[in-house]
mmCIF file of all heavy atoms in Angstrom:
data_model
loop_
_atom_site.group_PDB
_atom_site.id
_atom_site.type_symbol
_atom_site.label_atom_id
_atom_site.label_comp_id
_atom_site.label_asym_id
_atom_site.label_seq_id
_atom_site.Cartn_x
_atom_site.Cartn_y
_atom_site.Cartn_z
ATOM 1 N N ALA F 20 0.888 -1.244 -0.095
ATOM 2 C CA ALA F 20 -0.010 0.052 -0.054
ATOM 3 C C ALA F 20 0.962 1.284 0.037
ATOM 4 O O ALA F 20 0.483 2.231 -0.609
ATOM 5 C CB ALA F 20 -0.944 -0.037 1.228
ATOM 6 N N ASN F 21 2.077 1.213 0.703
ATOM 7 C CA ASN F 21 2.939 2.272 0.587
ATOM 8 C C ASN F 21 3.889 2.262 -0.588
ATOM 9 O O ASN F 21 4.769 3.166 -0.681
ATOM 10 C CB ASN F 21 3.791 2.298 1.952
ATOM 11 C CG ASN F 21 2.920 2.558 3.101
ATOM 12 O OD1 ASN F 21 1.998 3.358 2.963
ATOM 13 N ND2 ASN F 21 3.149 2.025 4.217
ATOM 14 N N GLY F 22 3.859 1.450 -1.596
ATOM 15 C CA GLY F 22 4.563 1.244 -2.710
ATOM 16 C C GLY F 22 5.965 0.725 -2.567
ATOM 17 O O GLY F 22 6.818 0.987 -3.410
ATOM 18 N N LEU F 23 6.236 0.161 -1.454
ATOM 19 C CA LEU F 23 7.549 -0.390 -1.098
ATOM 20 C C LEU F 23 7.871 -1.677 -1.747
ATOM 21 O O LEU F 23 9.030 -2.050 -1.810
ATOM 22 C CB LEU F 23 7.863 -0.301 0.377
ATOM 23 C CG LEU F 23 7.832 1.133 0.971
ATOM 24 C CD1 LEU F 23 7.883 1.094 2.515
ATOM 25 C CD2 LEU F 23 8.800 2.089 0.415
ATOM 26 N N VAL F 24 6.767 -2.564 -1.905
ATOM 27 C CA VAL F 24 6.977 -3.856 -2.493
ATOM 28 C C VAL F 24 5.907 -4.021 -3.604
ATOM 29 O O VAL F 24 4.871 -3.312 -3.621
ATOM 30 C CB VAL F 24 6.823 -5.065 -1.434
ATOM 31 C CG1 VAL F 24 7.924 -4.901 -0.352
ATOM 32 C CG2 VAL F 24 5.500 -5.085 -0.818
ATOM 33 N N GLU F 25 6.016 -5.035 -4.486
ATOM 34 C CA GLU F 25 5.058 -5.281 -5.403
ATOM 35 C C GLU F 25 4.858 -6.786 -5.519
ATOM 36 O O GLU F 25 5.761 -7.645 -5.274
ATOM 37 C CB GLU F 25 5.675 -4.923 -6.825
ATOM 38 C CG GLU F 25 6.062 -3.476 -6.951
ATOM 39 C CD GLU F 25 6.807 -3.061 -8.224
ATOM 40 O OE1 GLU F 25 7.242 -3.968 -8.980
ATOM 41 O OE2 GLU F 25 6.908 -1.862 -8.496
ATOM 42 N N ASN F 26 3.702 -7.264 -5.869
ATOM 43 C CA ASN F 26 3.301 -8.588 -6.096
ATOM 44 C C ASN F 26 3.649 -9.040 -7.507
ATOM 45 O O ASN F 26 3.370 -8.200 -8.590
ATOM 46 C CB ASN F 26 1.788 -8.874 -5.879
ATOM 47 C CG ASN F 26 1.512 -8.720 -4.360
ATOM 48 O OD1 ASN F 26 2.364 -8.911 -3.522
ATOM 49 N ND2 ASN F 26 0.122 -8.682 -4.120
ATOM 50 N N LYS F 27 4.065 -10.183 -7.748
ATOM 51 C CA LYS F 27 4.353 -10.813 -9.024
ATOM 52 C C LYS F 27 3.637 -11.986 -9.086
ATOM 53 O O LYS F 27 3.857 -12.962 -8.364
ATOM 54 C CB LYS F 27 5.908 -11.070 -9.193
ATOM 55 C CG LYS F 27 6.723 -9.761 -9.209
ATOM 56 C CD LYS F 27 6.573 -8.865 -10.388
ATOM 57 C CE LYS F 27 7.396 -7.772 -10.319
ATOM 58 N NZ LYS F 27 7.218 -6.772 -11.320
ATOM 59 N N ILE F 28 2.688 -12.087 -10.046
ATOM 60 C CA ILE F 28 2.023 -13.368 -10.269
ATOM 61 C C ILE F 28 2.832 -14.329 -10.973
ATOM 62 O O ILE F 28 3.487 -13.932 -11.992
ATOM 63 C CB ILE F 28 0.698 -13.050 -11.150
ATOM 64 C CG1 ILE F 28 -0.169 -11.891 -10.483
ATOM 65 C CG2 ILE F 28 -0.190 -14.321 -11.361
ATOM 66 C CD1 ILE F 28 -0.909 -12.189 -9.284
ATOM 67 N N LYS F 29 2.821 -15.669 -10.499
ATOM 68 C CA LYS F 29 3.619 -16.670 -11.093
ATOM 69 C C LYS F 29 2.943 -17.073 -12.339
ATOM 70 O O LYS F 29 1.660 -17.325 -12.414
ATOM 71 C CB LYS F 29 3.772 -17.817 -10.224
ATOM 72 C CG LYS F 29 4.720 -17.597 -9.054
ATOM 73 C CD LYS F 29 5.048 -18.801 -8.233
ATOM 74 C CE LYS F 29 5.957 -18.526 -7.297
ATOM 75 N NZ LYS F 29 6.346 -19.724 -6.516
ATOM 76 N N LYS F 30 3.627 -17.361 -13.470
ATOM 77 C CA LYS F 30 3.052 -17.707 -14.709
ATOM 78 C C LYS F 30 2.561 -19.226 -14.636
ATOM 79 O O LYS F 30 1.489 -19.613 -15.207
ATOM 80 C CB LYS F 30 3.977 -17.589 -15.836
ATOM 81 C CG LYS F 30 4.358 -16.124 -16.187
ATOM 82 C CD LYS F 30 5.474 -16.183 -17.301
ATOM 83 C CE LYS F 30 5.748 -14.621 -17.552
ATOM 84 N NZ LYS F 30 6.927 -14.448 -18.537
ATOM 85 N N GLU F 31 3.270 -20.008 -13.874
ATOM 86 C CA GLU F 31 2.957 -21.429 -13.658
ATOM 87 C C GLU F 31 1.662 -21.682 -12.911
ATOM 88 O O GLU F 31 0.959 -22.579 -13.172
ATOM 89 C CB GLU F 31 3.975 -22.216 -13.096
ATOM 90 C CG GLU F 31 5.388 -21.940 -13.334
ATOM 91 C CD GLU F 31 6.064 -20.726 -12.612
ATOM 92 O OE1 GLU F 31 6.133 -20.711 -11.416
ATOM 93 O OE2 GLU F 31 6.313 -19.812 -13.356
ATOM 94 N N ASP F 32 1.458 -20.812 -11.916
ATOM 95 C CA ASP F 32 0.252 -20.906 -11.012
ATOM 96 C C ASP F 32 -0.141 -19.515 -10.747
ATOM 97 O O ASP F 32 0.277 -18.853 -9.919
ATOM 98 C CB ASP F 32 0.784 -21.728 -9.703
ATOM 99 C CG ASP F 32 -0.528 -21.938 -8.793
ATOM 100 O OD1 ASP F 32 -1.577 -21.384 -9.048
ATOM 101 O OD2 ASP F 32 -0.196 -22.532 -7.708
ATOM 102 N N ARG F 33 -1.285 -19.163 -11.448
ATOM 103 C CA ARG F 33 -1.679 -17.711 -11.314
ATOM 104 C C ARG F 33 -2.307 -17.349 -9.855
ATOM 105 O O ARG F 33 -2.515 -16.312 -9.542
ATOM 106 C CB ARG F 33 -2.789 -17.435 -12.293
ATOM 107 C CG ARG F 33 -2.082 -17.580 -13.697
ATOM 108 C CD ARG F 33 -2.931 -17.034 -14.805
ATOM 109 N NE ARG F 33 -3.319 -15.660 -14.736
ATOM 110 C CZ ARG F 33 -2.615 -14.512 -15.067
ATOM 111 N NH1 ARG F 33 -1.400 -14.690 -15.398
ATOM 112 N NH2 ARG F 33 -3.062 -13.336 -14.919
ATOM 113 N N ARG F 34 -2.512 -18.501 -9.010
ATOM 114 C CA ARG F 34 -2.979 -18.191 -7.643
ATOM 115 C C ARG F 34 -1.896 -17.891 -6.687
ATOM 116 O O ARG F 34 -1.993 -17.265 -5.730
ATOM 117 C CB ARG F 34 -3.727 -19.438 -7.109
ATOM 118 C CG ARG F 34 -5.017 -19.761 -7.836
ATOM 119 C CD ARG F 34 -5.557 -21.008 -7.434
ATOM 120 N NE ARG F 34 -4.577 -22.116 -7.943
ATOM 121 C CZ ARG F 34 -4.586 -23.345 -7.513
ATOM 122 N NH1 ARG F 34 -5.517 -23.752 -6.713
ATOM 123 N NH2 ARG F 34 -3.755 -24.211 -7.874
ATOM 124 N N ALA F 35 -0.584 -18.333 -7.143
ATOM 125 C CA ALA F 35 0.603 -18.071 -6.339
ATOM 126 C C ALA F 35 1.055 -16.573 -6.548
ATOM 127 O O ALA F 35 1.086 -16.255 -7.773
ATOM 128 C CB ALA F 35 1.652 -19.127 -6.579
ATOM 129 N N VAL F 36 1.555 -15.992 -5.514
ATOM 130 C CA VAL F 36 2.031 -14.641 -5.629
ATOM 131 C C VAL F 36 3.459 -14.662 -5.035
ATOM 132 O O VAL F 36 3.659 -15.080 -3.861
ATOM 133 C CB VAL F 36 1.177 -13.628 -5.030
ATOM 134 C CG1 VAL F 36 1.675 -12.229 -5.081
ATOM 135 C CG2 VAL F 36 -0.222 -13.652 -5.598
ATOM 136 N N ASP F 37 4.371 -14.053 -5.768
ATOM 137 C CA ASP F 37 5.758 -13.743 -5.159
ATOM 138 C C ASP F 37 5.712 -12.143 -4.953
ATOM 139 O O ASP F 37 5.096 -11.401 -5.454
ATOM 140 C CB ASP F 37 6.767 -14.127 -6.275
ATOM 141 C CG ASP F 37 7.162 -15.527 -6.206
ATOM 142 O OD1 ASP F 37 6.831 -16.161 -5.253
ATOM 143 O OD2 ASP F 37 7.638 -15.998 -7.210
ATOM 144 N N ILE F 38 6.720 -11.837 -3.934
ATOM 145 C CA ILE F 38 6.892 -10.557 -3.676
ATOM 146 C C ILE F 38 8.291 -10.055 -4.030
ATOM 147 O O ILE F 38 9.173 -10.776 -3.850
ATOM 148 C CB ILE F 38 6.698 -10.274 -2.089
ATOM 149 C CG1 ILE F 38 5.269 -10.618 -1.672
ATOM 150 C CG2 ILE F 38 6.959 -8.917 -1.718
ATOM 151 C CD1 ILE F 38 4.903 -12.029 -1.379
ATOM 152 N N VAL F 39 8.463 -8.791 -4.526
ATOM 153 C CA VAL F 39 9.674 -8.185 -4.884
ATOM 154 C C VAL F 39 9.643 -6.792 -4.425
ATOM 155 O O VAL F 39 8.625 -6.184 -4.336
ATOM 156 C CB VAL F 39 9.905 -8.246 -6.423
ATOM 157 C CG1 VAL F 39 8.883 -7.386 -7.277
ATOM 158 C CG2 VAL F 39 11.409 -7.924 -6.766
ATOM 159 N N ILE F 40 10.831 -6.365 -4.013
ATOM 160 C CA ILE F 40 10.976 -4.952 -3.588
ATOM 161 C C ILE F 40 10.858 -4.002 -4.693
ATOM 162 O O ILE F 40 11.320 -4.349 -5.746
ATOM 163 C CB ILE F 40 12.291 -4.721 -2.796
ATOM 164 C CG1 ILE F 40 12.301 -3.405 -2.129
ATOM 165 C CG2 ILE F 40 13.533 -4.910 -3.704
ATOM 166 C CD1 ILE F 40 13.407 -3.277 -0.971
ATOM 167 N N SER F 41 10.106 -2.928 -4.469
ATOM 168 C CA SER F 41 9.863 -1.923 -5.680
ATOM 169 C C SER F 41 11.197 -0.974 -5.578
ATOM 170 O O SER F 41 12.001 -0.944 -4.809
ATOM 171 C CB SER F 41 8.618 -1.018 -5.375
ATOM 172 O OG SER F 41 8.761 -0.249 -4.214
ATOM 173 N N GLN F 42 11.088 -0.189 -6.654
ATOM 174 C CA GLN F 42 12.181 0.831 -6.856
ATOM 175 C C GLN F 42 12.138 1.856 -5.591
ATOM 176 O O GLN F 42 13.130 2.194 -5.055
ATOM 177 C CB GLN F 42 12.179 1.598 -8.099
ATOM 178 C CG GLN F 42 13.363 2.521 -8.377
ATOM 179 C CD GLN F 42 14.690 1.751 -8.362
ATOM 180 O OE1 GLN F 42 14.859 0.842 -9.036
ATOM 181 N NE2 GLN F 42 15.485 2.316 -7.422
ATOM 182 N N LYS F 43 10.915 2.171 -5.194
ATOM 183 C CA LYS F 43 10.711 3.081 -4.034
ATOM 184 C C LYS F 43 11.264 2.309 -2.775
ATOM 185 O O LYS F 43 11.807 3.050 -1.957
ATOM 186 C CB LYS F 43 9.266 3.340 -3.881
ATOM 187 C CG LYS F 43 8.950 4.280 -2.815
ATOM 188 C CD LYS F 43 7.417 4.638 -2.703
ATOM 189 C CE LYS F 43 7.087 5.572 -1.485
ATOM 190 N NZ LYS F 43 5.765 5.722 -1.383
ATOM 191 N N GLY F 44 11.074 1.069 -2.593
ATOM 192 C CA GLY F 44 11.614 0.333 -1.523
ATOM 193 C C GLY F 44 13.054 0.294 -1.521
ATOM 194 O O GLY F 44 13.830 0.403 -0.444
ATOM 195 N N LEU F 45 13.622 0.051 -2.743
ATOM 196 C CA LEU F 45 15.117 0.064 -2.843
ATOM 197 C C LEU F 45 15.706 1.360 -2.519
ATOM 198 O O LEU F 45 16.654 1.393 -1.857
ATOM 199 C CB LEU F 45 15.547 -0.370 -4.273
ATOM 200 C CG LEU F 45 15.306 -1.792 -4.673
ATOM 201 C CD1 LEU F 45 15.445 -1.946 -6.200
ATOM 202 C CD2 LEU F 45 16.296 -2.633 -3.888
ATOM 203 N N ASP F 46 15.064 2.495 -3.023
ATOM 204 C CA ASP F 46 15.505 3.906 -2.628
ATOM 205 C C ASP F 46 15.473 4.166 -1.160
ATOM 206 O O ASP F 46 16.439 4.734 -0.542
ATOM 207 C CB ASP F 46 14.723 4.895 -3.385
ATOM 208 C CG ASP F 46 14.896 4.767 -4.958
ATOM 209 O OD1 ASP F 46 15.821 4.329 -5.355
ATOM 210 O OD2 ASP F 46 14.028 5.430 -5.649
ATOM 211 N N LEU F 47 14.353 3.749 -0.523
ATOM 212 C CA LEU F 47 14.146 3.871 0.827
ATOM 213 C C LEU F 47 15.334 3.185 1.669
ATOM 214 O O LEU F 47 16.017 3.738 2.501
ATOM 215 C CB LEU F 47 12.850 3.323 1.504
ATOM 216 C CG LEU F 47 12.703 3.457 2.960
ATOM 217 C CD1 LEU F 47 12.640 4.823 3.447
ATOM 218 C CD2 LEU F 47 11.321 2.676 3.351
ATOM 219 N N MET F 48 15.717 1.865 1.333
ATOM 220 C CA MET F 48 16.655 1.200 1.955
ATOM 221 C C MET F 48 18.086 1.721 1.762
ATOM 222 O O MET F 48 18.852 1.740 2.696
ATOM 223 C CB MET F 48 16.700 -0.312 1.465
ATOM 224 C CG MET F 48 15.452 -1.103 1.880
ATOM 225 S SD MET F 48 15.170 -1.204 3.611
ATOM 226 C CE MET F 48 16.510 -2.395 4.041
ATOM 227 N N THR F 49 18.303 2.258 0.556
ATOM 228 C CA THR F 49 19.539 2.988 0.275
ATOM 229 C C THR F 49 19.606 4.286 1.183
ATOM 230 O O THR F 49 20.706 4.424 1.696
ATOM 231 C CB THR F 49 19.694 3.329 -1.293
ATOM 232 O OG1 THR F 49 19.508 2.063 -1.999
ATOM 233 C CG2 THR F 49 20.953 4.068 -1.511
ATOM 234 N N GLU F 50 18.651 4.953 1.330
ATOM 235 C CA GLU F 50 18.589 6.226 2.163
ATOM 236 C C GLU F 50 18.788 5.832 3.505
ATOM 237 O O GLU F 50 19.667 6.500 4.220
ATOM 238 C CB GLU F 50 17.314 6.880 1.969
ATOM 239 C CG GLU F 50 17.187 8.165 2.746
ATOM 240 C CD GLU F 50 15.953 8.937 2.707
ATOM 241 O OE1 GLU F 50 15.033 8.645 1.782
ATOM 242 O OE2 GLU F 50 15.751 9.765 3.555
ATOM 243 N N ILE F 51 18.128 4.732 4.046
ATOM 244 C CA ILE F 51 18.351 4.398 5.492
ATOM 245 C C ILE F 51 19.871 3.927 5.619
ATOM 246 O O ILE F 51 20.452 4.366 6.604
ATOM 247 C CB ILE F 51 17.392 3.269 5.855
ATOM 248 C CG1 ILE F 51 15.959 3.861 5.857
ATOM 249 C CG2 ILE F 51 17.762 2.700 7.165
ATOM 250 C CD1 ILE F 51 14.870 2.796 6.007
ATOM 251 N N ASP F 52 20.344 3.093 4.784
ATOM 252 C CA ASP F 52 21.712 2.602 4.797
ATOM 253 C C ASP F 52 22.679 3.753 4.872
ATOM 254 O O ASP F 52 23.659 3.823 5.533
ATOM 255 C CB ASP F 52 22.029 1.718 3.758
ATOM 256 C CG ASP F 52 21.221 0.271 3.917
ATOM 257 O OD1 ASP F 52 20.767 0.045 5.092
ATOM 258 O OD2 ASP F 52 21.214 -0.493 3.001
ATOM 259 N N LYS F 53 22.512 4.697 3.991
ATOM 260 C CA LYS F 53 23.406 5.845 3.872
ATOM 261 C C LYS F 53 23.366 6.787 4.936
ATOM 262 O O LYS F 53 24.413 7.190 5.496
ATOM 263 C CB LYS F 53 23.118 6.560 2.462
ATOM 264 C CG LYS F 53 24.006 7.700 2.166
ATOM 265 C CD LYS F 53 23.711 8.272 0.765
ATOM 266 C CE LYS F 53 22.346 8.838 0.771
ATOM 267 N NZ LYS F 53 21.941 9.640 -0.498
ATOM 268 N N THR F 54 22.168 7.178 5.449
ATOM 269 C CA THR F 54 22.112 8.225 6.496
ATOM 270 C C THR F 54 21.956 7.686 7.925
ATOM 271 O O THR F 54 22.288 8.429 8.838
ATOM 272 C CB THR F 54 20.777 9.052 6.172
ATOM 273 O OG1 THR F 54 19.577 8.299 6.204
ATOM 274 C CG2 THR F 54 20.858 9.794 4.795
ATOM 275 N N GLU F 55 21.555 6.412 7.992
ATOM 276 C CA GLU F 55 21.328 5.972 9.416
ATOM 277 C C GLU F 55 22.272 4.817 9.834
ATOM 278 O O GLU F 55 22.284 4.358 10.998
ATOM 279 C CB GLU F 55 19.966 5.394 9.538
ATOM 280 C CG GLU F 55 18.822 6.405 9.344
ATOM 281 C CD GLU F 55 18.819 7.566 10.214
ATOM 282 O OE1 GLU F 55 19.464 7.495 11.388
ATOM 283 O OE2 GLU F 55 18.132 8.535 9.804
ATOM 284 N N SER F 56 23.171 4.436 8.935
ATOM 285 C CA SER F 56 24.160 3.234 9.275
ATOM 286 C C SER F 56 24.878 3.486 10.491
ATOM 287 O O SER F 56 24.915 2.737 11.476
ATOM 288 C CB SER F 56 25.010 3.065 8.132
ATOM 289 O OG SER F 56 25.877 1.876 8.337
ATOM 290 N N ALA F 57 25.528 4.671 10.596
ATOM 291 C CA ALA F 57 26.214 5.064 11.832
ATOM 292 C C ALA F 57 25.302 5.049 13.105
ATOM 293 O O ALA F 57 25.749 4.515 14.194
ATOM 294 C CB ALA F 57 26.995 6.400 11.679
ATOM 295 N N ALA F 58 24.211 5.595 13.020
ATOM 296 C CA ALA F 58 23.261 5.664 14.135
ATOM 297 C C ALA F 58 22.837 4.238 14.582
ATOM 298 O O ALA F 58 22.716 3.916 15.725
ATOM 299 C CB ALA F 58 22.032 6.523 13.852
ATOM 300 N N MET F 59 22.443 3.417 13.583
ATOM 301 C CA MET F 59 22.063 2.123 13.824
ATOM 302 C C MET F 59 23.160 1.126 14.580
ATOM 303 O O MET F 59 22.810 0.451 15.497
ATOM 304 C CB MET F 59 21.624 1.318 12.569
ATOM 305 C CG MET F 59 20.242 1.692 12.085
ATOM 306 S SD MET F 59 19.847 0.611 10.751
ATOM 307 C CE MET F 59 18.127 1.149 10.331
ATOM 308 N N PHE F 60 24.281 1.377 14.093
ATOM 309 C CA PHE F 60 25.422 0.598 14.705
ATOM 310 C C PHE F 60 26.103 1.305 15.838
ATOM 311 O O PHE F 60 27.076 0.658 16.471
ATOM 312 C CB PHE F 60 26.305 0.081 13.661
ATOM 313 C CG PHE F 60 25.635 -0.815 12.714
ATOM 314 C CD1 PHE F 60 25.223 -0.395 11.419
ATOM 315 C CD2 PHE F 60 25.351 -2.158 13.122
ATOM 316 C CE1 PHE F 60 24.568 -1.374 10.652
ATOM 317 C CE2 PHE F 60 24.914 -3.070 12.292
ATOM 318 C CZ PHE F 60 24.373 -2.625 11.133
ATOM 319 N N HIS F 61 25.720 2.518 16.267
ATOM 320 C CA HIS F 61 26.402 3.201 17.255
ATOM 321 C C HIS F 61 26.560 2.383 18.517
ATOM 322 O O HIS F 61 27.565 2.426 19.212
ATOM 323 C CB HIS F 61 25.701 4.564 17.494
ATOM 324 C CG HIS F 61 26.287 5.279 18.673
ATOM 325 N ND1 HIS F 61 27.519 5.946 18.470
ATOM 326 C CD2 HIS F 61 25.923 5.414 20.028
ATOM 327 C CE1 HIS F 61 27.876 6.574 19.670
ATOM 328 N NE2 HIS F 61 26.937 6.237 20.556
ATOM 329 N N PRO F 62 25.573 1.798 19.049
ATOM 330 C CA PRO F 62 25.738 0.987 20.255
ATOM 331 C C PRO F 62 26.754 -0.151 20.228
ATOM 332 O O PRO F 62 27.193 -0.634 21.268
ATOM 333 C CB PRO F 62 24.317 0.280 20.471
ATOM 334 C CG PRO F 62 23.282 1.071 19.701
ATOM 335 C CD PRO F 62 24.188 1.611 18.502
ATOM 336 N N PHE F 63 27.218 -0.525 19.068
ATOM 337 C CA PHE F 63 28.198 -1.579 18.887
ATOM 338 C C PHE F 63 29.606 -1.125 18.580
ATOM 339 O O PHE F 63 30.453 -1.898 18.346
ATOM 340 C CB PHE F 63 27.611 -2.453 17.794
ATOM 341 C CG PHE F 63 26.178 -2.895 17.979
ATOM 342 C CD1 PHE F 63 25.244 -2.419 17.193
ATOM 343 C CD2 PHE F 63 25.784 -3.908 18.975
ATOM 344 C CE1 PHE F 63 23.843 -2.791 17.468
ATOM 345 C CE2 PHE F 63 24.465 -4.213 19.141
ATOM 346 C CZ PHE F 63 23.562 -3.716 18.333
#
């Protein structure tokens, strides 16, 4: 709903759904890794 992941319907079984990270999700993870990495690992 927030556009961070997308469903991919399987061709072999249309009832089965796979999940893939969207470009927006990749961008968010890159931003978090870039700007928050030091803060996340500060306690260690």
Side-chain angles (χ1 to χ4, degrees):
N21 291 327
L23 300 173
V24 301
E25 299 170 351
N26 287 344
K27 298 287 182 187
I28 307 291
K29 288 187 175 185
K30 291 178 183 172
E31 322 76 68
D32 182 358
R33 298 192 57 79
R34 294 171 297 169
V36 176
D37 279 340
I38 294 89
V39 67
I40 191 168
S41 68
Q42 187 58 52
K43 183 177 177 183
L45 287 169
D46 293 344
L47 176 67
M48 292 301 286
T49 300
E50 182 181 346
I51 292 171
D52 289 346
K53 184 174 60 178
T54 59
E55 303 294 345
S56 182
M59 282 186 174
F60 292 101
H61 178 76
F63 311 103

